[in-house]
Amino acid sequence: MFPIELSDHDGDALTITTRGTDVWLTCTTDLSEVTIGPIPRTALHAALTDSRIDGAVTAAPIEDAG
């Protein structure tokens, strides 16, 4: 298995774990954890690159709060 973890300054995390052609997504916050999977890698790729949502999500600039 190959995990990649992304976390924010509060300690909340998203872990993406791959093994072969399968993917697991785990969201962790405080003492709670939710995992979905296995999801076929091709299905996750198709969902994330769906042409119906291309350009529908825009990111606002991140402002320095400090």
Side-chain angles (χ1 to χ4, degrees), residues 5-25:
E5 184 173 301
L6 308 168
S7 60
D8 63 15
H9 65 279
D10 293 331
D12 302 327
L14 170 65
T15 304
I16 303 167
T17 305
T18 59
R19 183 177 68 190
T21 60
D22 293 326
V23 179
W24 290 260
L25 302 173

